[in-house]
Amino acid sequence: MIPNSDLLTYSQWMGILTLIAAVFTVFAFVLKWGFRFRFVGVTGFLGVLTIGIFSLSLGLYTRAEISGAIPYTLVYDNGGAKTVIAVPPTIAESELEATMRQAAGDLFSFGRGGGVTNLMTIRVRTILHPKSGVSLPLYLGEVRRSLSVREDDKMAIDIFPDSLARLKESQV
């Protein structure tokens, strides 16, 4: 994948090329060259390419890898401030926190609506099977993070100790 900084550099060079083409087009109109109308199209096309590359530089983000995080499954996402992820019942507490940080980074988007608080809440759950045919959802924690800042230093991570104790109990 092309990093964002490269796309931004490409869009700057395309912008310069577009400006040069625009100046050449104006020059062609002043001198009444026969191919001046073709350069209007070339300049317009270069402008569209410049805007497209610049838009890509804004939309593509590199994903940060958090060490110790395990794969999770997105269970619920309303496209706004509420999401739920599922983790396997064999998760350790250190893996849980790392996975919560990974999910907070992965699910962040400027397009989410956070309402009045502008916070996104990610709840983490697992499924226990105490007896055959019975499934029990168990919430292990939640993350609350800002929707206006990509790198949120004030992210609140709450791990529910009662749920972790119950999870360890079920593994024995």
Side-chain angles (χ1 to χ4, degrees):
M1 174 164 46
I2 300 172
N4 291 351
S5 60
D6 288 350
L7 285 173
L8 194 56
T9 303
Y10 298 155
S11 67
Q12 289 173 347
W13 280 106
M14 284 299 295
I16 292 169
L17 185 62
T18 303
L19 290 176
I20 291 170
V23 168
F24 191 75
T25 302
V26 169
F27 189 64
F29 267 93
V30 169
L31 296 178
K32 298 186 191 269
W33 289 341
F35 56 85
R36 62 185 178 256
F37 295 107
R38 292 181 188 155
F39 268 92
V40 171
V42 168
T43 305
F45 183 67
L46 286 174
V48 168
L49 285 178
T50 302
I51 292 169
I53 293 172
F54 179 72
S55 299
L56 280 175
S57 74
L58 295 177
L60 297 177
Y61 291 104
T62 55
R63 190 182 134 200
E65 292 284 332
I66 306 293
S67 63
I70 62 169
Y72 60 88
T73 305
L74 185 63
V75 176
Y76 173 77
D77 187 355
N78 69 355
K82 305 279 184 199
T83 58
V84 178
I85 63 170
V87 294
T90 56
I91 192 167
E93 187 172 352
S94 61
E95 293 173 330
L96 177 62
E97 184 175 349
T99 303
M100 292 167 82
R101 288 185 185 280
Q102 182 73 52
D106 291 349
L107 298 174
F108 173 81
S109 171
F110 288 114
R112 289 183 178 271
V116 179
T117 61
N118 203 27
L119 291 175
M120 177 172 68
T121 303
I122 302 169
R123 298 191 75 191
V124 182
R125 77 167 195 198
T126 190
I127 303 290
L128 297 179
H129 302 285
K131 36 184 175 169
S132 180
V134 176
S135 297
L136 177 69
L138 181 65
Y139 286 92
L140 302 173
E142 71 179 23
V143 180
R144 284 178 307 285
R145 65 152 303 146
S146 171
L147 282 173
S148 58
V149 180
R150 175 164 281 288
E151 301 297 328
D152 188 7
D153 297 333
K154 298 176 184 172
M155 183 173 21
I157 296 178
D158 294 328
I159 296 176
F160 306 145
D162 296 342
S163 297
L164 278 177
R166 193 167 180 185
L167 185 64
K168 289 178 185 175
E169 225 173 69
S170 70
Q171 292 175 354
V172 175

